[in-house]
């Protein structure tokens, strides 16, 4: 049986987690220039929440996930703990 998981926040949660993981490593989390409709919708939602900033790189403007804005909104997310608990 296939379940439709669209519009339940999973994509947003994955973007938030990925952005935090990259932030901990000193890396920016960019939006891709080529996106499926669902990804575009997720980035539009993030933008409406104030979690996306723009940066000019040469002739192009890149969208970057604003981790500082995310942590101001949800400070409980940091520090990110993705390491498994010792057994």
């Amino acid at each position: 049986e296939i379940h439709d998981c669209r519009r339940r926040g999973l994509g947003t949660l994955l973007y938030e987690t990925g952005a935090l993981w990259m932030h901990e490593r000193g890396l920016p989390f960019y939006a891709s220039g080529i996106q499926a409709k669902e990804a575009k919708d997720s980035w539009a939602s993030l933008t409406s929440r104030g979690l996306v900033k723009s940066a000019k790189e040469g002739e192009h403007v890149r969208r970057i996930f604003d981790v500082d804005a995310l942590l101001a909104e949800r400070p409980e997310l940091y520090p990110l703990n993705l390491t498994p608990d010792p057994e």
Side-chain angles (χ1 to χ4, degrees):
E1 186 173 334
I2 298 174
H3 297 281
D4 187 354
C5 294
R6 290 178 287 188
R7 310 297 307 161
R8 296 188 184 187
L10 180 59
T12 300
L13 179 62
L14 289 170
Y15 281 129
E16 290 174 353
T17 303
L20 286 166
W21 185 88
M22 291 184 73
H23 176 76
E24 286 183 341
R25 287 150 181 82
L27 301 169
F29 189 83
Y30 294 104
S32 172
I34 302 172
Q35 295 177 330
K37 180 189 179 315
E38 292 81 5
K40 287 179 184 177
D41 292 346
S42 290
W43 278 93
S45 173
L46 294 169
T47 300
S48 71
R49 288 173 52 199
L51 300 179
V52 178
K53 58 187 175 182
S54 298
K56 188 161 175 67
E57 291 185 0
E59 298 178 15
H60 304 283
V61 176
R62 304 278 313 260
R63 292 176 298 155
I64 304 169
F65 194 111
D66 188 348
V67 174
D68 293 329
L70 174 64
L71 294 175
E73 179 183 288
R74 299 188 53 205
E76 73 277 6
L77 294 177
Y78 194 80
L80 186 62
N81 185 4
L82 293 179
T83 52
D85 292 330
E87 296 179 21

